Amino acid sequence: MNWMHETAAGRAIRPANDTAPPTALTIAGSDSGGSAGMHADLRTFFACGVHGMTAVTAVTVQNTVGVTGLVEIPPQTVAAQIDAVASDIGVDAAKTGVLASAATIEAVLDVCDRHGIGRAGRTPFVVDPVAASRSGEPLLRPDALDALRHQAFPRATLVTPNLDEVRLLTGIDARTRADLLDAAKAIYDFGPEWVLVKSGHLPDDPECVDLLFDGTEAIPLPGPRYATVHTHGAGDVFASAITSALAKGASVPDAVRSGKRFVTRSVSHAYPLGSGVGPVSTFWRISPRSI
């Protein structure tokens, strides 16, 4: 069958169709400064070659200096966004960012269960337990911590806390590389399939060695540590790069290694912005400097 169309003048017009890429969903908050949250996720999805979709959980008022406001989206609206894209487009992998309240977490998990998103279903589910902003402002209601521990984590394919989040969730204050396994075990006890403990907050370590744990095997993931203060959005970029690889069918260890390479390059290309902390950069994928 010939799908070529002709104009009134007789010139052929070629169809502009292509094969759809894998899809990834971020269930996260916005960042008005454009450095973190769902904005960082969407940039990363694009750079990693997947089609990004969103379920907005909160709108933050922030810039490079800090967060000055947060408005939660009603839980039923968050769930409706997930249902809309999952029932029509389909989701090959999903991740979370800010889930500010227990009610939001429960609504998200209910609709994810119905669409097979999570370790019990067919779609990988990365839970990034974002609990506070880079400058320390809390982003969760107190009831959200228990909901994360006991409802979200058991459904997760992978949980990706940094050391501040480990301390908040478990009470473990990891200060050295040797403490990472205890941190990973404590998070694993809440029930996820895999745990990735990120060590970017160990500034005295000359390397940045993250630890991936499945309850039996601990896999260290070493990488360089760069001398930069511009690290806004690093955790979001790491988790969304992992989610992108999972959407393409990678195993969890391979997806985490892929995400580690991606975020390492993004930190190395971080740039100053505004008068505070600038973002890590996903632009290295298209920048002439990377060629």
Side-chain angles (χ1 to χ4, degrees), residues 96-149:
T96 67
V98 172
L99 302 175
S101 68
T104 294
I105 292 169
E106 290 163 4
V108 166
L109 295 176
D110 180 63
V111 70
C112 284
D113 285 348
R114 285 191 276 114
H115 287 286
I117 299 170
R119 61 177 301 183
R122 63 187 179 278
T123 302
F125 188 39
V126 176
V127 175
D128 190 13
V130 179
S133 73
R134 169 192 44 77
S135 49
E137 295 89 349
L139 299 174
L140 301 183
R141 295 178 183 268
D143 64 357
L145 288 175
D146 262 350
L148 278 174
R149 294 183 190 104

mmCIF file of all heavy atoms in Angstrom, residues 96-149:
data_model
loop_
_atom_site.group_PDB
_atom_site.id
_atom_site.type_symbol
_atom_site.label_atom_id
_atom_site.label_comp_id
_atom_site.label_asym_id
_atom_site.label_seq_id
_atom_site.Cartn_x
_atom_site.Cartn_y
_atom_site.Cartn_z
ATOM 1 N N THR A 96 9.097 7.638 41.154
ATOM 2 C CA THR A 96 8.486 8.672 41.971
ATOM 3 C C THR A 96 9.532 9.700 42.375
ATOM 4 O O THR A 96 10.730 9.429 42.407
ATOM 5 C CB THR A 96 7.864 8.093 43.254
ATOM 6 O OG1 THR A 96 8.909 7.584 44.100
ATOM 7 C CG2 THR A 96 6.885 6.986 42.931
ATOM 8 N N GLY A 97 9.030 10.892 42.696
ATOM 9 C CA GLY A 97 9.828 11.922 43.332
ATOM 10 C C GLY A 97 9.116 12.299 44.616
ATOM 11 O O GLY A 97 8.849 11.438 45.454
ATOM 12 N N VAL A 98 8.770 13.566 44.770
ATOM 13 C CA VAL A 98 8.088 14.018 45.981
ATOM 14 C C VAL A 98 6.677 13.441 46.046
ATOM 15 O O VAL A 98 5.857 13.683 45.158
ATOM 16 C CB VAL A 98 8.033 15.557 46.031
ATOM 17 C CG1 VAL A 98 7.157 16.028 47.193
ATOM 18 C CG2 VAL A 98 9.432 16.136 46.176
ATOM 19 N N LEU A 99 6.399 12.692 47.102
ATOM 20 C CA LEU A 99 5.055 12.219 47.439
ATOM 21 C C LEU A 99 4.781 12.769 48.833
ATOM 22 O O LEU A 99 5.181 12.180 49.837
ATOM 23 C CB LEU A 99 4.986 10.686 47.417
ATOM 24 C CG LEU A 99 5.360 10.015 46.093
ATOM 25 C CD1 LEU A 99 5.373 8.496 46.251
ATOM 26 C CD2 LEU A 99 4.401 10.425 44.974
ATOM 27 N N ALA A 100 4.110 13.915 48.893
ATOM 28 C CA ALA A 100 4.163 14.743 50.096
ATOM 29 C C ALA A 100 3.344 14.233 51.271
ATOM 30 O O ALA A 100 3.593 14.636 52.409
ATOM 31 C CB ALA A 100 3.724 16.171 49.748
ATOM 32 N N SER A 101 2.384 13.365 51.041
ATOM 33 C CA SER A 101 1.513 12.932 52.136
ATOM 34 C C SER A 101 1.161 11.461 51.985
ATOM 35 O O SER A 101 1.291 10.869 50.907
ATOM 36 C CB SER A 101 0.224 13.753 52.145
ATOM 37 O OG SER A 101 -0.573 13.442 51.006
ATOM 38 N N ALA A 102 0.700 10.875 53.097
ATOM 39 C CA ALA A 102 0.261 9.485 53.058
ATOM 40 C C ALA A 102 -0.905 9.314 52.096
ATOM 41 O O ALA A 102 -0.996 8.298 51.390
ATOM 42 C CB ALA A 102 -0.132 9.019 54.459
ATOM 43 N N ALA A 103 -1.796 10.295 52.045
ATOM 44 C CA ALA A 103 -2.949 10.191 51.138
ATOM 45 C C ALA A 103 -2.493 10.131 49.682
ATOM 46 O O ALA A 103 -3.030 9.353 48.882
ATOM 47 C CB ALA A 103 -3.889 11.382 51.356
ATOM 48 N N THR A 104 -1.487 10.936 49.322
ATOM 49 C CA THR A 104 -0.961 10.890 47.956
ATOM 50 C C THR A 104 -0.295 9.559 47.679
ATOM 51 O O THR A 104 -0.499 8.946 46.617
ATOM 52 C CB THR A 104 0.032 12.045 47.735
ATOM 53 O OG1 THR A 104 -0.672 13.290 47.803
ATOM 54 C CG2 THR A 104 0.713 11.926 46.381
ATOM 55 N N ILE A 105 0.499 9.081 48.619
ATOM 56 C CA ILE A 105 1.186 7.793 48.441
ATOM 57 C C ILE A 105 0.171 6.671 48.244
ATOM 58 O O ILE A 105 0.301 5.834 47.342
ATOM 59 C CB ILE A 105 2.106 7.511 49.640
ATOM 60 C CG1 ILE A 105 3.275 8.502 49.645
ATOM 61 C CG2 ILE A 105 2.623 6.070 49.612
ATOM 62 C CD1 ILE A 105 4.096 8.499 50.911
ATOM 63 N N GLU A 106 -0.857 6.652 49.063
ATOM 64 C CA GLU A 106 -1.867 5.594 48.944
ATOM 65 C C GLU A 106 -2.608 5.669 47.617
ATOM 66 O O GLU A 106 -2.876 4.631 46.983
ATOM 67 C CB GLU A 106 -2.840 5.701 50.121
ATOM 68 C CG GLU A 106 -2.200 5.301 51.446
ATOM 69 C CD GLU A 106 -2.980 5.780 52.658
ATOM 70 O OE1 GLU A 106 -4.076 6.369 52.455
ATOM 71 O OE2 GLU A 106 -2.491 5.573 53.790
ATOM 72 N N ALA A 107 -2.917 6.880 47.160
ATOM 73 C CA ALA A 107 -3.600 7.028 45.871
ATOM 74 C C ALA A 107 -2.716 6.570 44.721
ATOM 75 O O ALA A 107 -3.170 5.897 43.787
ATOM 76 C CB ALA A 107 -4.025 8.483 45.676
ATOM 77 N N VAL A 108 -1.433 6.933 44.782
ATOM 78 C CA VAL A 108 -0.476 6.526 43.743
ATOM 79 C C VAL A 108 -0.336 5.013 43.708
ATOM 80 O O VAL A 108 -0.379 4.387 42.634
ATOM 81 C CB VAL A 108 0.880 7.203 43.982
ATOM 82 C CG1 VAL A 108 1.984 6.535 43.147
ATOM 83 C CG2 VAL A 108 0.807 8.690 43.660
ATOM 84 N N LEU A 109 -0.179 4.405 44.870
ATOM 85 C CA LEU A 109 0.033 2.960 44.911
ATOM 86 C C LEU A 109 -1.203 2.201 44.441
ATOM 87 O O LEU A 109 -1.087 1.169 43.773
ATOM 88 C CB LEU A 109 0.426 2.540 46.325
ATOM 89 C CG LEU A 109 1.759 3.090 46.829
ATOM 90 C CD1 LEU A 109 1.987 2.687 48.276
ATOM 91 C CD2 LEU A 109 2.920 2.632 45.950
ATOM 92 N N ASP A 110 -2.372 2.697 44.779
ATOM 93 C CA ASP A 110 -3.604 2.030 44.353
ATOM 94 C C ASP A 110 -3.715 1.989 42.835
ATOM 95 O O ASP A 110 -3.986 0.934 42.240
ATOM 96 C CB ASP A 110 -4.809 2.737 44.966
ATOM 97 C CG ASP A 110 -6.118 2.078 44.556
ATOM 98 O OD1 ASP A 110 -6.323 0.897 44.904
ATOM 99 O OD2 ASP A 110 -6.932 2.740 43.884
ATOM 100 N N VAL A 111 -3.482 3.129 42.178
ATOM 101 C CA VAL A 111 -3.613 3.146 40.718
ATOM 102 C C VAL A 111 -2.454 2.395 40.070
ATOM 103 O O VAL A 111 -2.634 1.740 39.029
ATOM 104 C CB VAL A 111 -3.735 4.597 40.192
ATOM 105 C CG1 VAL A 111 -2.432 5.372 40.330
ATOM 106 C CG2 VAL A 111 -4.203 4.602 38.741
ATOM 107 N N CYS A 112 -1.265 2.442 40.664
ATOM 108 C CA CYS A 112 -0.142 1.661 40.122
ATOM 109 C C CYS A 112 -0.432 0.168 40.216
ATOM 110 O O CYS A 112 -0.140 -0.593 39.277
ATOM 111 C CB CYS A 112 1.147 2.012 40.860
ATOM 112 S SG CYS A 112 1.867 3.605 40.384
ATOM 113 N N ASP A 113 -1.003 -0.270 41.329
ATOM 114 C CA ASP A 113 -1.374 -1.685 41.459
ATOM 115 C C ASP A 113 -2.341 -2.098 40.348
ATOM 116 O O ASP A 113 -2.201 -3.176 39.748
ATOM 117 C CB ASP A 113 -2.039 -1.935 42.815
ATOM 118 C CG ASP A 113 -1.062 -1.940 43.977
ATOM 119 O OD1 ASP A 113 0.160 -1.968 43.742
ATOM 120 O OD2 ASP A 113 -1.531 -1.894 45.136
ATOM 121 N N ARG A 114 -3.304 -1.238 40.060
ATOM 122 C CA ARG A 114 -4.309 -1.580 39.046
ATOM 123 C C ARG A 114 -3.711 -1.682 37.651
ATOM 124 O O ARG A 114 -4.231 -2.406 36.800
ATOM 125 C CB ARG A 114 -5.435 -0.548 39.062
ATOM 126 C CG ARG A 114 -6.365 -0.707 40.247
ATOM 127 C CD ARG A 114 -7.621 0.133 40.126
ATOM 128 N NE ARG A 114 -7.425 1.512 40.568
ATOM 129 C CZ ARG A 114 -7.485 2.562 39.791
ATOM 130 N NH1 ARG A 114 -7.709 2.416 38.477
ATOM 131 N NH2 ARG A 114 -7.318 3.779 40.274
ATOM 132 N N HIS A 115 -2.598 -0.979 37.421
ATOM 133 C CA HIS A 115 -1.973 -1.013 36.093
ATOM 134 C C HIS A 115 -0.700 -1.862 36.063
ATOM 135 O O HIS A 115 0.048 -1.807 35.083
ATOM 136 C CB HIS A 115 -1.672 0.416 35.642
ATOM 137 C CG HIS A 115 -2.886 1.191 35.249
ATOM 138 N ND1 HIS A 115 -3.558 0.968 34.055
ATOM 139 C CD2 HIS A 115 -3.594 2.162 35.894
ATOM 140 C CE1 HIS A 115 -4.602 1.781 33.980
ATOM 141 N NE2 HIS A 115 -4.650 2.515 35.072
ATOM 142 N N GLY A 116 -0.467 -2.654 37.079
ATOM 143 C CA GLY A 116 0.675 -3.559 37.071
ATOM 144 C C GLY A 116 2.022 -2.857 37.187
ATOM 145 O O GLY A 116 3.037 -3.382 36.720
ATOM 146 N N ILE A 117 2.039 -1.684 37.817
ATOM 147 C CA ILE A 117 3.284 -0.948 38.022
ATOM 148 C C ILE A 117 3.803 -1.279 39.410
ATOM 149 O O ILE A 117 3.152 -0.994 40.417
ATOM 150 C CB ILE A 117 3.054 0.579 37.893
ATOM 151 C CG1 ILE A 117 2.544 0.924 36.497
ATOM 152 C CG2 ILE A 117 4.328 1.352 38.208
ATOM 153 C CD1 ILE A 117 2.071 2.364 36.343
ATOM 154 N N GLY A 118 4.961 -1.923 39.495
ATOM 155 C CA GLY A 118 5.519 -2.330 40.775
ATOM 156 C C GLY A 118 6.092 -3.723 40.685
ATOM 157 O O GLY A 118 5.918 -4.430 39.691
ATOM 158 N N ARG A 119 6.780 -4.131 41.725
ATOM 159 C CA ARG A 119 7.505 -5.408 41.678
ATOM 160 C C ARG A 119 6.575 -6.603 41.489
ATOM 161 O O ARG A 119 7.003 -7.658 40.996
ATOM 162 C CB ARG A 119 8.346 -5.586 42.937
ATOM 163 C CG ARG A 119 7.571 -5.624 44.238
ATOM 164 C CD ARG A 119 8.489 -5.888 45.422
ATOM 165 N NE ARG A 119 9.194 -7.142 45.289
ATOM 166 C CZ ARG A 119 10.004 -7.634 46.206
ATOM 167 N NH1 ARG A 119 10.223 -6.974 47.313
ATOM 168 N NH2 ARG A 119 10.600 -8.797 46.026
ATOM 169 N N ALA A 120 5.315 -6.485 41.871
ATOM 170 C CA ALA A 120 4.371 -7.587 41.673
ATOM 171 C C ALA A 120 3.762 -7.572 40.278
ATOM 172 O O ALA A 120 3.069 -8.517 39.894
ATOM 173 C CB ALA A 120 3.262 -7.526 42.719
ATOM 174 N N GLY A 121 4.013 -6.516 39.511
ATOM 175 C CA GLY A 121 3.447 -6.400 38.171
ATOM 176 C C GLY A 121 4.502 -6.512 37.098
ATOM 177 O O GLY A 121 5.620 -6.972 37.333
ATOM 178 N N ARG A 122 4.161 -6.050 35.912
ATOM 179 C CA ARG A 122 5.056 -6.185 34.772
ATOM 180 C C ARG A 122 5.937 -4.951 34.563
ATOM 181 O O ARG A 122 6.874 -4.986 33.766
ATOM 182 C CB ARG A 122 4.237 -6.435 33.497
ATOM 183 C CG ARG A 122 3.305 -5.282 33.137
ATOM 184 C CD ARG A 122 2.374 -5.599 31.989
ATOM 185 N NE ARG A 122 1.483 -4.471 31.692
ATOM 186 C CZ ARG A 122 0.375 -4.208 32.355
ATOM 187 N NH1 ARG A 122 0.014 -4.998 33.346
ATOM 188 N NH2 ARG A 122 -0.373 -3.158 32.040
ATOM 189 N N THR A 123 5.615 -3.858 35.253
ATOM 190 C CA THR A 123 6.293 -2.597 34.993
ATOM 191 C C THR A 123 7.211 -2.231 36.146
ATOM 192 O O THR A 123 6.757 -2.104 37.292
ATOM 193 C CB THR A 123 5.263 -1.467 34.793
ATOM 194 O OG1 THR A 123 4.404 -1.818 33.707
ATOM 195 C CG2 THR A 123 5.954 -0.153 34.481
ATOM 196 N N PRO A 124 8.518 -2.040 35.895
ATOM 197 C CA PRO A 124 9.446 -1.660 36.962
ATOM 198 C C PRO A 124 9.054 -0.335 37.600
ATOM 199 O O PRO A 124 8.581 0.585 36.928
ATOM 200 C CB PRO A 124 10.790 -1.554 36.239
ATOM 201 C CG PRO A 124 10.637 -2.351 34.987
ATOM 202 C CD PRO A 124 9.206 -2.230 34.599
ATOM 203 N N PHE A 125 9.295 -0.238 38.913
ATOM 204 C CA PHE A 125 8.859 0.913 39.702
ATOM 205 C C PHE A 125 10.011 1.357 40.598
ATOM 206 O O PHE A 125 10.421 0.629 41.505
ATOM 207 C CB PHE A 125 7.648 0.501 40.533
ATOM 208 C CG PHE A 125 6.956 1.623 41.264
ATOM 209 C CD1 PHE A 125 6.775 2.870 40.695
ATOM 210 C CD2 PHE A 125 6.446 1.392 42.539
ATOM 211 C CE1 PHE A 125 6.105 3.881 41.375
ATOM 212 C CE2 PHE A 125 5.767 2.391 43.228
ATOM 213 C CZ PHE A 125 5.601 3.640 42.640
ATOM 214 N N VAL A 126 10.551 2.534 40.325
ATOM 215 C CA VAL A 126 11.659 3.093 41.090
ATOM 216 C C VAL A 126 11.098 4.116 42.074
ATOM 217 O O VAL A 126 10.441 5.079 41.669
ATOM 218 C CB VAL A 126 12.694 3.766 40.162
ATOM 219 C CG1 VAL A 126 13.810 4.427 40.980
ATOM 220 C CG2 VAL A 126 13.275 2.746 39.180
ATOM 221 N N VAL A 127 11.352 3.902 43.354
ATOM 222 C CA VAL A 127 10.902 4.831 44.384
ATOM 223 C C VAL A 127 12.106 5.620 44.886
ATOM 224 O O VAL A 127 13.007 5.066 45.523
ATOM 225 C CB VAL A 127 10.205 4.097 45.550
ATOM 226 C CG1 VAL A 127 9.862 5.079 46.674
ATOM 227 C CG2 VAL A 127 8.947 3.379 45.062
ATOM 228 N N ASP A 128 12.130 6.896 44.550
ATOM 229 C CA ASP A 128 13.164 7.813 45.038
ATOM 230 C C ASP A 128 12.543 8.581 46.208
ATOM 231 O O ASP A 128 11.712 9.464 45.994
ATOM 232 C CB ASP A 128 13.580 8.765 43.916
ATOM 233 C CG ASP A 128 14.815 9.579 44.259
ATOM 234 O OD1 ASP A 128 15.501 9.238 45.250
ATOM 235 O OD2 ASP A 128 15.105 10.555 43.546
ATOM 236 N N PRO A 129 12.923 8.253 47.445
ATOM 237 C CA PRO A 129 12.199 8.798 48.611
ATOM 238 C C PRO A 129 12.625 10.228 48.949
ATOM 239 O O PRO A 129 13.262 10.491 49.972
ATOM 240 C CB PRO A 129 12.573 7.823 49.725
ATOM 241 C CG PRO A 129 13.942 7.355 49.356
ATOM 242 C CD PRO A 129 13.961 7.297 47.843
ATOM 243 N N VAL A 130 12.273 11.157 48.076
ATOM 244 C CA VAL A 130 12.645 12.555 48.253
ATOM 245 C C VAL A 130 11.914 13.103 49.478
ATOM 246 O O VAL A 130 10.686 13.177 49.493
ATOM 247 C CB VAL A 130 12.288 13.377 47.000
ATOM 248 C CG1 VAL A 130 12.659 14.841 47.209
ATOM 249 C CG2 VAL A 130 12.998 12.811 45.779
ATOM 250 N N ALA A 131 12.695 13.495 50.498
ATOM 251 C CA ALA A 131 12.093 13.906 51.759
ATOM 252 C C ALA A 131 12.328 15.368 52.095
ATOM 253 O O ALA A 131 11.591 15.954 52.868
ATOM 254 C CB ALA A 131 12.624 13.035 52.898
ATOM 255 N N ALA A 132 13.390 15.951 51.541
ATOM 256 C CA ALA A 132 13.713 17.346 51.834
ATOM 257 C C ALA A 132 14.383 17.955 50.622
ATOM 258 O O ALA A 132 14.967 17.256 49.789
ATOM 259 C CB ALA A 132 14.629 17.452 53.056
ATOM 260 N N SER A 133 14.294 19.262 50.510
ATOM 261 C CA SER A 133 14.966 19.947 49.420
ATOM 262 C C SER A 133 16.468 19.969 49.668
ATOM 263 O O SER A 133 16.943 19.672 50.771
ATOM 264 C CB SER A 133 14.449 21.386 49.302
ATOM 265 O OG SER A 133 14.949 22.164 50.368
ATOM 266 N N ARG A 134 17.200 20.347 48.643
ATOM 267 C CA ARG A 134 18.655 20.447 48.750
ATOM 268 C C ARG A 134 19.085 21.361 49.883
ATOM 269 O O ARG A 134 20.076 21.110 50.566
ATOM 270 C CB ARG A 134 19.213 20.941 47.408
ATOM 271 C CG ARG A 134 20.665 21.347 47.418
ATOM 272 C CD ARG A 134 20.999 22.091 46.143
ATOM 273 N NE ARG A 134 19.984 23.070 45.786
ATOM 274 C CZ ARG A 134 19.858 24.258 46.370
ATOM 275 N NH1 ARG A 134 20.656 24.602 47.348
ATOM 276 N NH2 ARG A 134 18.907 25.093 45.989
ATOM 277 N N SER A 135 18.312 22.412 50.148
ATOM 278 C CA SER A 135 18.675 23.357 51.193
ATOM 279 C C SER A 135 18.039 23.036 52.544
ATOM 280 O O SER A 135 18.134 23.805 53.486
ATOM 281 C CB SER A 135 18.287 24.775 50.766
ATOM 282 O OG SER A 135 16.957 24.815 50.291
ATOM 283 N N GLY A 136 17.379 21.857 52.638
ATOM 284 C CA GLY A 136 16.917 21.366 53.925
ATOM 285 C C GLY A 136 15.451 21.544 54.232
ATOM 286 O O GLY A 136 14.962 21.054 55.262
ATOM 287 N N GLU A 137 14.691 22.214 53.369
ATOM 288 C CA GLU A 137 13.267 22.400 53.645
ATOM 289 C C GLU A 137 12.534 21.063 53.511
ATOM 290 O O GLU A 137 12.706 20.343 52.534
ATOM 291 C CB GLU A 137 12.636 23.407 52.673
ATOM 292 C CG GLU A 137 13.174 24.824 52.791
ATOM 293 C CD GLU A 137 14.376 25.049 51.894
ATOM 294 O OE1 GLU A 137 14.918 24.053 51.348
ATOM 295 O OE2 GLU A 137 14.777 26.211 51.738
ATOM 296 N N PRO A 138 11.716 20.676 54.531
ATOM 297 C CA PRO A 138 10.975 19.411 54.437
ATOM 298 C C PRO A 138 9.954 19.460 53.312
ATOM 299 O O PRO A 138 9.296 20.474 53.092
ATOM 300 C CB PRO A 138 10.295 19.297 55.807
ATOM 301 C CG PRO A 138 10.218 20.694 56.313
ATOM 302 C CD PRO A 138 11.425 21.412 55.779
ATOM 303 N N LEU A 139 9.842 18.355 52.590
ATOM 304 C CA LEU A 139 8.902 18.258 51.482
ATOM 305 C C LEU A 139 7.802 17.233 51.742
ATOM 306 O O LEU A 139 6.953 17.015 50.885
ATOM 307 C CB LEU A 139 9.650 17.900 50.197
ATOM 308 C CG LEU A 139 10.715 18.907 49.728
ATOM 309 C CD1 LEU A 139 11.469 18.353 48.529
ATOM 310 C CD2 LEU A 139 10.081 20.251 49.401
ATOM 311 N N LEU A 140 7.837 16.602 52.913
ATOM 312 C CA LEU A 140 6.861 15.567 53.244
ATOM 313 C C LEU A 140 6.123 15.916 54.527
ATOM 314 O O LEU A 140 6.703 16.469 55.467
ATOM 315 C CB LEU A 140 7.561 14.206 53.460
ATOM 316 C CG LEU A 140 8.377 13.605 52.338
ATOM 317 C CD1 LEU A 140 8.892 12.242 52.767
ATOM 318 C CD2 LEU A 140 7.567 13.490 51.068
ATOM 319 N N ARG A 141 4.854 15.541 54.580
ATOM 320 C CA ARG A 141 4.138 15.554 55.853
ATOM 321 C C ARG A 141 4.676 14.415 56.726
ATOM 322 O O ARG A 141 5.188 13.407 56.202
ATOM 323 C CB ARG A 141 2.647 15.349 55.615
ATOM 324 C CG ARG A 141 1.964 16.478 54.846
ATOM 325 C CD ARG A 141 0.499 16.117 54.638
ATOM 326 N NE ARG A 141 -0.195 17.120 53.848
ATOM 327 C CZ ARG A 141 -0.852 18.159 54.364
ATOM 328 N NH1 ARG A 141 -0.876 18.318 55.676
ATOM 329 N NH2 ARG A 141 -1.471 19.015 53.586
ATOM 330 N N PRO A 142 4.568 14.520 58.043
ATOM 331 C CA PRO A 142 5.087 13.442 58.913
ATOM 332 C C PRO A 142 4.503 12.069 58.603
ATOM 333 O O PRO A 142 5.197 11.059 58.702
ATOM 334 C CB PRO A 142 4.685 13.921 60.324
ATOM 335 C CG PRO A 142 4.641 15.416 60.211
ATOM 336 C CD PRO A 142 4.127 15.692 58.822
ATOM 337 N N ASP A 143 3.222 12.005 58.205
ATOM 338 C CA ASP A 143 2.607 10.703 57.938
ATOM 339 C C ASP A 143 3.150 10.043 56.682
ATOM 340 O O ASP A 143 2.981 8.832 56.475
ATOM 341 C CB ASP A 143 1.090 10.822 57.862
ATOM 342 C CG ASP A 143 0.589 11.695 56.704
ATOM 343 O OD1 ASP A 143 1.420 12.269 55.959
ATOM 344 O OD2 ASP A 143 -0.646 11.813 56.547
ATOM 345 N N ALA A 144 3.835 10.809 55.839
ATOM 346 C CA ALA A 144 4.335 10.240 54.582
ATOM 347 C C ALA A 144 5.500 9.291 54.808
ATOM 348 O O ALA A 144 5.700 8.349 54.028
ATOM 349 C CB ALA A 144 4.753 11.359 53.638
ATOM 350 N N LEU A 145 6.293 9.521 55.852
ATOM 351 C CA LEU A 145 7.449 8.659 56.082
ATOM 352 C C LEU A 145 7.030 7.219 56.347
ATOM 353 O O LEU A 145 7.592 6.274 55.786
ATOM 354 C CB LEU A 145 8.288 9.190 57.243
ATOM 355 C CG LEU A 145 9.083 10.456 56.959
ATOM 356 C CD1 LEU A 145 9.778 10.938 58.222
ATOM 357 C CD2 LEU A 145 10.109 10.213 55.849
ATOM 358 N N ASP A 146 6.030 7.030 57.200
ATOM 359 C CA ASP A 146 5.552 5.674 57.463
ATOM 360 C C ASP A 146 4.939 5.047 56.219
ATOM 361 O O ASP A 146 5.110 3.848 55.968
ATOM 362 C CB ASP A 146 4.534 5.676 58.599
ATOM 363 C CG ASP A 146 5.155 5.292 59.930
ATOM 364 O OD1 ASP A 146 6.315 4.849 59.934
ATOM 365 O OD2 ASP A 146 4.481 5.446 60.965
ATOM 366 N N ALA A 147 4.227 5.840 55.445
ATOM 367 C CA ALA A 147 3.637 5.315 54.210
ATOM 368 C C ALA A 147 4.716 4.904 53.217
ATOM 369 O O ALA A 147 4.576 3.901 52.508
ATOM 370 C CB ALA A 147 2.697 6.347 53.593
ATOM 371 N N LEU A 148 5.799 5.665 53.144
ATOM 372 C CA LEU A 148 6.916 5.266 52.290
ATOM 373 C C LEU A 148 7.502 3.945 52.764
ATOM 374 O O LEU A 148 7.685 3.006 51.971
ATOM 375 C CB LEU A 148 8.000 6.343 52.306
ATOM 376 C CG LEU A 148 7.831 7.540 51.389
ATOM 377 C CD1 LEU A 148 8.938 8.562 51.660
ATOM 378 C CD2 LEU A 148 7.846 7.132 49.920
ATOM 379 N N ARG A 149 7.809 3.879 54.048
ATOM 380 C CA ARG A 149 8.464 2.682 54.588
ATOM 381 C C ARG A 149 7.619 1.423 54.375
ATOM 382 O O ARG A 149 8.124 0.393 53.911
ATOM 383 C CB ARG A 149 8.713 2.851 56.094
ATOM 384 C CG ARG A 149 9.699 3.917 56.504
ATOM 385 C CD ARG A 149 9.858 3.859 58.023
ATOM 386 N NE ARG A 149 10.597 4.981 58.561
ATOM 387 C CZ ARG A 149 10.039 6.019 59.198
ATOM 388 N NH1 ARG A 149 8.716 6.077 59.338
ATOM 389 N NH2 ARG A 149 10.799 6.983 59.677
#
